[in-house]
Amino acid sequence: MAPPLELIDDVAAEIFLRLPPDEPKHLFRTSLVCKTWLRIVTDPDFRRRYRAFHRVPPLLGYIQRRQVMEGDPEPRLVPTTAVLLTPNPSFRRALDCRHGRVLVHVYRGCGHHLVWDPVTGDQQRVPDAGIEWLIYSAAVFCAVSGCDHTDCHGGPFRVVFIATDDREELVKVTVYSSETRVWSKPVTLDSGCEAYVRHEKDARDNGGVIGMFYTPYVEPRRGAVIGDEIYFTIRWANAIVKYDWRKNCISIINSPSRDAYYISLMEMEDGALGFCCIQDWDLYLWSWKVSSEGAGEWVQSRVIELKGMIPVVNPDDAAVVVGSTEGVGVIFVSTDAGLFSFELKSGRVRKVDEREVYYSILPYMSFYTPALRFFPPISHPNRRRYFAMAPPPELIDDVTAEIFLCLPPDEPACLFRASLVCKRWMRILRDPDFVRQYRAFHRTPPLLGFLHRRTVIDEDPAPRLVPTTAVPAFPHPASCCTPRALDCRHGRVLLHIRGDESVEFLVWDPVTGYQHAVPRVEIDWMTYSAAVLCGVPGCDHIHCRGGRFLVIFIATDDRDGLIRTRVYSSETGAWSTLASLSHGFVNYVQPRRGVLIGNEIFFTIVRGTAIVKHDWRKNCLSVIKPPPVEYYNMVTLMVMEEEDSSLGFIGIRDSNLYLWSRKVNSVGAAEWVQCRVIELETMIPKANPSNGACVVGFAEGVDVIFISTGAGLFMIELKSGRERKVGRPGSYYSILPYMSFYTPGILLVLAYLLPCILHLLDGSLLP
């Protein structure tokens, strides 16, 4: 019996909510599949939910502005995604893009401006500001108090016009209201402002003027809107003009960098004014902080080395910052190789356009969701055929599959709910071709949960896989005794079955339920660790389920104190010959998860005093010294994804997280290089300020580390800095992250459906 229609619509809408807003074509293709989907995605309530779910409007395109001497660029909005915006109006010069609107100067002979909405096509004429300008800038923004700017199309707006007056050679500002349709009385930056008097004196004293005259040239650069204040720059010393449009008052503040030619003003994450520039391939970020007494000062918040991150043709050429976007932490950088966007949190770089003369990028950001006005009107001659003629089934399936590909793998519930909607969706999602495409599209298996291990003196934790996402609980393998988790890797879990004379280990696949018994290893261990890994050469580990595997067992021998290791192969069903190593006085292998890099796996000796490297193909052991700093709390090893997959080392000292990478220098010798320091004091909650934080694990491929404090277990994404609580307070020593794709198959769908049915019988909704 099919679920009710309301349930189908709810599930479909829940899936469509996850489609990325910076690729609007997916929603539009969705609307063309059938009338039901068209109704869902054009529903005003769905569009409100979609905007609220994603919160920040995506970047759809940009216009740029140049300096007077460089000449105006081509007057058009350049799309940065596959989206069909309304035709460009005829204009001479773009001035600003903000809150879904574009402000353009039509042409000097007529003098008026135009506020254009590229999504709806709406255009509103703005009269001349009445200032005889020599050089100028302007800003357009939503005028609705408290608006979140996710859907303010068609609402009231303001235009702020700032210029250097051609007669008086002073800076003047005026503001236009779309509600009253008049400009305010201009306000002038002159000797009435003490800060401006000091600025003018500084310009004269330091050679910024000829003779006794000083002209404050307004830069034709995009301003920054923060609350009721708009900020623009003046050429001399990058001085910043602050205009409060509600109070209609103007002032000036000094910049943190007087000499940088290319700069950008921006809004910081905390809502403060930001300033960024590039000098010698280093990106400097400054924040304007205001004290409780009202005094403001610039605080350097970050320095990012861009060399090697931003492409260049000629290594001697410099990179320059030419703009920024609000809300998404993106700056625009221009080099001789083109225009690039740079995400401040993740460090991701994307080429936006080819090489050109860039000075001030005006980013156009807006949600672009289907509405019935985007489709042929009733009077359109082809409207009946447009909706009545359904595309062929192959096209429908292709479009549906393309939509499903975009669903996030770390939320498997979306795919499972989609598979319950109808037989056709079930067939698409279970198709092996789709499963392969889905894994290849996302590449890195998501984190589904974790197990953990404690030290020898601590009691073993409950043997269960703790989910970090909405997946059904994986039934733990039955055993006559309590198993101990040793490792999770490549979709498999390695368990130690104590008390069974014939079987010592169990390799378990939580998704399929597959289990493989591993015989006893002939080592009289005292302390030990182990690892399970895929045994197929060249495998990408996104679909190695059911294939052959290896188990690496490493231990401190209870008789002679030597470090010994053996490797088990599921292909031969036997353990390898013994490999041994002696390392000084203390040889205790820590019961901590190892790190796999190529054919080598790394484990730590007690208190992190040494690192043991095992080349499992050559079956040989060696020792590596750790970084030359002692960390009082626990340490862990990791794979440095951004450092050519080199060996990494993490330790915490004085509330700072230190990341080290093992590099090979110019003479071929390996050495530790400190590559990053992260302040944890304000990131991770603590139950007791006197208690420290401990790093207890790392998940490869997703750059996630696990930190334990008295307040619980936390997961930190190294690229974005986002943190999430994933466990209650407890004794954590080594987190074993379970990572795997979890796509629907008929048995898995039934496993997911069972708790759903129980919820329905209980009178509640589907989970």
Side-chain angles (χ1 to χ4, degrees):
M1 182 172 65
L5 186 60
E6 292 76 15
L7 177 60
I8 293 178
D9 287 358
D10 287 347
V11 172
E14 196 71 22
I15 292 169
F16 299 154
L17 279 178
R18 269 74 178 176
L19 294 178
D22 54 353
E23 291 291 348
K25 65 181 180 182
H26 293 306
L27 274 179
F28 278 83
R29 288 178 178 176
T30 299
S31 66
L32 298 177
V33 170
C34 60
K35 291 182 179 179
T36 301
W37 287 17
L38 174 64
R39 175 174 50 78
I40 292 172
V41 297
T42 57
D43 180 58
D45 183 58
F46 169 80
R47 288 187 284 125
R48 279 192 294 271
R49 288 179 60 206
Y50 186 81
R51 292 174 176 124
F53 183 84
H54 294 283
R55 297 172 58 189
V56 179
L59 178 69
L60 298 184
Y62 75 91
I63 310 182
Q64 66 149 317
R65 188 176 178 191
R66 294 178 184 159
Q67 298 184 88
V68 177
M69 59 185 179
E70 293 171 337
D72 289 321
E74 183 181 355
R76 71 184 185 96
L77 194 155
V78 181
T80 55
T81 184
V83 64
L84 186 63
L85 298 170
T86 57
N88 288 267
S90 176
F91 66 92
R92 174 187 174 182
R93 180 178 295 147
L95 304 182
D96 191 26
C97 296
R98 207 180 309 263
H99 301 163
R101 302 168 175 88
V102 177
L103 175 65
V104 298
H105 195 172
V106 178
Y107 53 90
R108 188 159 189 168
C110 182
H112 73 271
H113 302 81
L114 196 70
V115 174
W116 165 47
D117 187 325
V119 170
T120 65
D122 178 65
Q123 299 180 20
Q124 294 197 44
R125 177 172 171 152
V126 176
D128 182 71
I131 299 175
E132 294 188 21
W133 52 266
L134 175 65
I135 187 170
Y136 68 100
S137 188
V140 60
F141 53 93
C142 170
V144 179
S145 179
C147 180
D148 60 7
H149 310 307
T150 60
D151 187 25
C152 49
H153 296 285
F157 61 85
R158 299 283 189 273
V159 173
V160 170
F161 185 85
I162 181 171
T164 302
D165 190 286
D166 195 21
R167 293 182 301 174
E168 301 179 30
E169 296 189 347
L170 292 172
V171 174
K172 293 185 176 182
V173 186
T174 180
V175 60
Y176 172 85
S177 168
S178 65
E179 296 168 295
T180 63
R181 299 190 178 183
V182 295
W183 290 93
S184 67
K185 181 180 179 181
V187 61
T188 304
L189 184 64
D190 53 20
S191 58
C193 175
E194 293 183 9
Y196 177 71
V197 173
R198 291 193 298 270
H199 166 80
E200 186 177 25
K201 183 179 184 301
D202 177 61
R204 288 176 174 159
D205 293 345
N206 290 279
V209 299
I210 300 175
M212 296 299 295
F213 299 98
Y214 166 63
T215 302
Y217 292 108
V218 172
E219 294 274 41
R221 178 181 286 128
R222 184 172 186 253
V225 177
I226 301 175
D228 297 337
E229 299 166 346
I230 303 98
Y231 300 85
F232 299 94
T233 56
I234 293 177
R235 182 174 302 172
W236 173 252
N238 289 325
I240 300 169
V241 175
K242 181 177 82 171
Y243 174 66
D244 188 317
W245 66 270
R246 285 197 185 275
K247 299 178 181 178
N248 196 30
C249 63
I250 190 171
S251 59
I252 191 170
I253 58 179
N254 294 325
S255 77
S257 177
R258 298 165 55 94
D259 303 324
Y261 186 69
Y262 289 90
I263 63 105
S264 180
L265 302 180
M266 59 191 296
E267 182 179 3
M268 304 297 280
E269 285 187 352
D270 59 358
L273 173 65
F275 181 102
C276 66
C277 64
I278 298 176
Q279 295 178 338
D280 298 327
W281 282 98
D282 288 330
L283 174 69
Y284 292 85
L285 292 169
W286 298 77
S287 181
W288 179 252
K289 301 293 186 181
V290 179
S291 66
S292 56
E293 291 79 20
E297 63 175 350
W298 288 105
V299 177
Q300 187 178 105
S301 57
R302 199 170 173 193
V303 180
I304 304 173
E305 184 180 350
L306 296 180
K307 197 150 195 173
M309 300 180 68
I310 308 292
V312 292
V313 176
N314 184 350
D316 295 330
D317 283 352
V320 295
V321 59
V322 291
S324 64
T325 63
E326 54 274 304
V328 293
V330 170
I331 64 167
F332 294 94
V333 177
S334 174
T335 73
D336 61 352
L339 178 67
F340 300 88
S341 64
F342 177 74
E343 295 183 14
L344 294 174
K345 281 188 174 180
S346 67
R348 283 192 291 266
V349 177
R350 173 172 165 254
K351 188 170 184 178
V352 176
D353 215 332
E354 298 301 325
R355 176 182 180 180
E356 199 179 323
V357 177
Y358 298 103
Y359 179 72
S360 182
I361 295 296
L362 315 175
Y364 178 68
M365 303 171 65
S366 176
F367 283 106
Y368 193 45
T369 50
L372 287 176
R373 63 176 177 270
F374 293 125
F375 296 91
I378 295 177
S379 59
H380 196 283
N382 293 325
R383 178 181 171 86
R384 182 182 299 273
R385 186 176 65 180
Y386 184 87
F387 285 108
M389 185 177 68
E394 293 78 13
L395 177 61
I396 293 178
D397 285 357
D398 287 347
V399 173
T400 306
E402 187 172 340
I403 292 168
F404 292 154
L405 279 178
C406 298
L407 294 177
D410 55 355
E411 292 188 23
C414 296
L415 282 178
F416 278 84
R417 288 175 177 174
S419 68
L420 299 176
V421 170
C422 60
K423 291 181 179 179
R424 186 165 62 85
W425 285 21
M426 169 80 83
R427 175 174 50 79
I428 292 172
L429 292 169
R430 288 180 51 222
D431 183 14
D433 285 339
F434 170 79
V435 174
R436 279 191 293 271
Q437 289 180 45
Y438 186 80
R439 290 168 175 158
F441 181 80
H442 293 284
R443 297 173 60 188
T444 302
L447 179 68
L448 298 184
F450 68 89
L451 294 98
H452 70 101
R453 189 178 176 189
R454 293 178 181 158
T455 60
V456 178
I457 59 176
D458 291 325
E459 185 179 345
D460 284 327
R464 71 183 187 94
L465 199 157
V466 181
T468 56
T469 185
V471 295
F474 298 111
H476 211 74
S479 175
C480 60
C481 56
T482 303
R484 174 184 291 164
L486 302 183
D487 190 27
C488 296
R489 203 182 312 265
H490 301 162
R492 302 169 176 90
V493 176
L494 178 63
L495 302 171
H496 189 182
I497 308 298
R498 294 167 295 165
D500 192 325
E501 294 185 0
S502 60
V503 175
E504 188 161 16
F505 304 98
L506 190 70
V507 174
W508 166 48
D509 186 329
V511 171
T512 65
Y514 172 80
Q515 299 178 24
H516 183 109
V518 177
R520 292 180 60 83
V521 57
E522 296 302 324
I523 296 178
D524 290 331
W525 53 266
M526 178 167 50
T527 61
Y528 70 100
S529 188
V532 61
L533 56 136
C534 171
V536 180
C539 180
D540 57 9
H541 309 307
I542 62 175
H543 188 56
C544 53
R545 186 160 283 125
R548 61 182 186 264
F549 62 85
L550 303 174
V551 173
I552 297 173
F553 183 84
I554 184 170
T556 300
D557 195 294
D558 195 23
R559 295 173 301 176
D560 53 21
L562 296 180
I563 296 174
R564 302 190 187 277
T565 182
R566 288 183 185 268
V567 179
Y568 172 84
S569 169
S570 64
E571 192 174 19
T572 64
W575 289 93
S576 69
T577 56
L578 194 68
S580 301
L581 174 72
S582 176
H583 171 64
F585 181 73
V586 181
N587 288 329
Y588 299 123
V589 172
Q590 288 189 302
R592 179 173 286 124
R593 183 172 184 256
V595 167
L596 177 69
I597 302 176
N599 298 329
E600 300 170 342
I601 189 160
F602 302 83
F603 298 92
T604 53
I605 300 297
V606 66
R607 303 187 68 85
T609 55
I611 299 168
V612 176
K613 180 178 77 172
H614 178 226
D615 188 318
W616 57 268
R617 283 202 182 275
K618 298 177 181 178
N619 196 26
C620 63
L621 290 164
S622 57
V623 174
I624 297 172
K625 290 184 178 180
V629 178
E630 183 178 354
Y631 295 98
Y632 300 113
N633 288 324
M634 292 182 289
V635 300
T636 194
L637 303 178
M638 63 179 290
V639 183
M640 302 298 290
E641 306 288 349
E642 297 182 358
E643 306 287 338
D644 300 324
S645 295
S646 59
L647 176 64
F649 184 98
I650 319 173
I652 295 178
R653 188 185 180 96
D654 299 330
S655 297
N656 290 323
L657 180 74
Y658 293 85
L659 282 81
W660 296 77
S661 178
R662 190 164 173 79
K663 298 284 191 179
V664 177
N665 58 28
S666 57
V667 296
E671 61 182 357
W672 289 103
V673 177
Q674 185 176 297
C675 55
R676 195 172 174 191
V677 180
I678 301 174
E679 170 60 52
L680 296 178
E681 188 71 35
T682 58
M683 290 180 63
I684 303 296
K686 296 180 182 178
N688 185 344
S690 62
N691 292 337
C694 299
V695 57
V696 291
F698 165 76
E700 54 271 282
V702 291
D703 271 354
V704 165
I705 62 171
F706 294 89
I707 303 288
S708 174
T709 74
L713 179 67
F714 298 87
M715 189 171 73
I716 299 180
E717 297 178 14
L718 291 177
K719 284 185 177 179
S720 66
R722 287 191 293 266
E723 58 87 13
R724 180 161 69 97
K725 187 174 181 178
V726 292
R728 298 176 181 176
S731 176
Y732 299 98
Y733 182 74
S734 182
I735 295 296
L736 314 174
Y738 179 68
M739 301 172 65
S740 176
F741 284 104
Y742 195 40
T743 48
I746 187 64
L747 294 178
L748 297 180
V749 169
L750 291 175
Y752 181 83
L753 186 60
L754 181 60
C756 298
I757 294 173
L758 294 177
H759 275 281
L760 288 171
L761 292 176
D762 191 43
S764 58
L765 295 175
L766 279 168

